[in-house]
Amino acid sequence: MKCEFWEGSDRELAVRVYTHNIRYATTRPAKGEVLWAKRKHAVAESIRFHTTGRTSVVCLQEVLYSQLLDLLKLLGEDWDYYGVGRDDGRKAGEYAAVLYRTTQFKIELYKTVWLSETPEVPGKGWDAASVRVLTIVLFRHKASGRNLYVLNTHLDDQGRVARAEGAELICNIISSLEDPHTLVLAGDLNSEPNQEAYPVLAKALADGRHAPGVHLYGDDNTFTGFDDTTRRKRIDYVFADPSLVVENYAVLPNRFDDGMWTSDHRPVIADVIVKGKVNRV
């Protein structure tokens, strides 16, 4: 992949988007599930291996605050994050966190929106079983001066109306952003391509897996459960503004020879190319 970080306005910026539902740190693991204290090393090493030497952003779902601290410690001091606990807008509940290297990016703007009829305050929306959020971060790439919006979400696993309405709200938010053409959306939609949220988002954004000329690697399905009998399905995605180039798209393993499932979801990677002129201040 060509990855050049120059001050000129005609150079490309290549960004690797890594997204993973890491499974929250339950104290009552399901059959086949290993406690977070053992899983965390494998989760962190996957992030490290697949982002080292690259300009990268990492979108994680189902992250409790204690898990976030564990990962930042394992990844190293040059990593930071934006996100809030969904239950209170501070530290309670799961995060849809966006992680980044402070040597690569500076945050220009950030916001959390609740996917509900009252998006400015914590709470459930429509028929959702849980509180759900959209994390929005506007990054400035330090070396090139380019901007990139990174959005991360985790839609409800039970509320069909909540998934559809949440996707509509996300599309409305995207349309309201200043210069949304350098934007990626990652996350666990809890929707397969023929279900509620996907067709709504696919009207506004391009599914990275189906981008023109994209190179594919790995599996198609992203949800596995913690056994070999659960029905596999594709519910985790990286979408991008149609003006961006998605060069590579991969679904990575979540189990190796030791037999441990790192999560009940597989990580997803998309390599996105940002072109065009640099807007400088």
Side-chain angles (χ1 to χ4, degrees):
M1 171 185 295
K2 181 166 66 175
C3 186
E4 298 175 288
F5 308 129
W6 292 79
E7 293 298 318
S9 63
D10 60 342
R11 300 290 179 171
E12 299 175 352
L13 169 63
V15 180
R16 170 157 287 185
V17 181
Y18 180 110
T19 183
H20 194 196
N21 180 327
I22 66 169
R23 171 66 171 172
Y24 79 100
T26 180
T27 57
R28 295 182 178 181
K31 184 178 180 181
E33 180 180 4
V34 174
L35 289 173
W36 171 250
K38 294 184 177 180
R39 292 192 296 113
K40 65 181 181 181
H41 301 284
V43 171
E45 285 307 311
S46 179
I47 295 171
R48 185 196 309 279
F49 181 84
H50 291 287
T51 63
T52 294
R54 296 176 178 270
T55 299
S56 306
V57 291
V58 175
C59 297
L60 302 179
Q61 303 88 40
E62 282 199 28
V63 190
L64 299 181
Y65 184 65
S66 60
Q67 291 176 287
L68 189 56
L69 295 182
D70 287 341
L71 290 174
L72 291 174
K73 182 177 180 180
L74 290 168
L75 290 173
E77 61 182 14
D78 60 330
W79 285 85
D80 205 347
Y81 78 97
Y82 170 71
V84 300
R86 67 189 187 186
D87 291 350
D88 65 355
R90 294 186 290 274
K91 295 181 180 179
E94 298 174 9
Y95 289 59
V98 178
L99 281 63
Y100 66 100
R101 286 189 177 91
T102 57
T103 52
Q104 295 178 347
F105 287 105
K106 175 187 176 184
I107 291 182
E108 296 288 304
L109 297 169
Y110 59 87
K111 186 174 183 177
T112 297
V113 175
W114 279 263
L115 300 180
S116 73
E117 298 90 333
T118 55
E120 299 298 324
V121 296
K124 298 179 185 179
W126 304 284
D127 60 345
S130 302
V131 178
R132 302 292 177 174
V133 298
L134 172 71
T135 301
I136 305 168
V137 182
L138 174 60
F139 285 111
R140 173 67 60 91
H141 182 245
K142 291 183 176 180
S144 71
R146 295 185 182 279
N147 287 348
L148 178 69
Y149 277 105
V150 177
L151 279 58
N152 182 22
T153 196
H154 183 191
L155 300 186
D156 202 63
D157 61 331
Q158 297 184 41
R160 297 181 63 180
V161 175
R163 289 194 291 271
E165 293 291 342
E168 289 283 2
L169 179 56
I170 290 171
C171 288
N172 291 337
I173 290 168
I174 289 173
S175 67
S176 73
L177 296 175
E178 182 178 351
D179 189 21
H181 300 298
T182 55
L183 178 147
V184 293
L185 167 69
D188 174 1
L189 300 187
N190 272 308
S191 294
E192 296 181 73
N194 63 343
Q195 294 178 325
E196 302 83 13
Y198 182 96
V200 175
L201 292 169
K203 291 179 182 178
L205 300 170
D207 180 349
R209 185 175 183 84
H210 301 303
V214 67
H215 298 99
L216 300 176
Y217 171 76
D219 293 290
D220 183 12
N221 294 313
T222 63
F223 177 78
T224 63
F226 291 106
D227 57 54
D228 291 317
T229 62
T230 298
R231 185 177 77 84
R232 277 32 176 170
K233 51 188 176 180
R234 183 175 185 236
I235 59 174
D236 304 89
Y237 306 88
V238 178
F239 287 88
D241 184 87
S243 66
L244 301 182
V245 175
V246 181
E247 192 170 56
N248 303 300
Y249 197 95
V251 177
L252 305 176
N254 60 344
R255 185 173 63 161
F256 299 93
D257 285 345
D258 62 4
M260 182 183 71
W261 300 90
T262 62
S263 172
D264 51 349
H265 291 249
R266 293 167 172 154
V268 178
I269 282 176
D271 291 326
V272 178
I273 309 297
V274 182
K275 299 183 178 182
K277 293 185 178 295
V278 177
N279 296 319
R280 297 195 175 278
V281 295

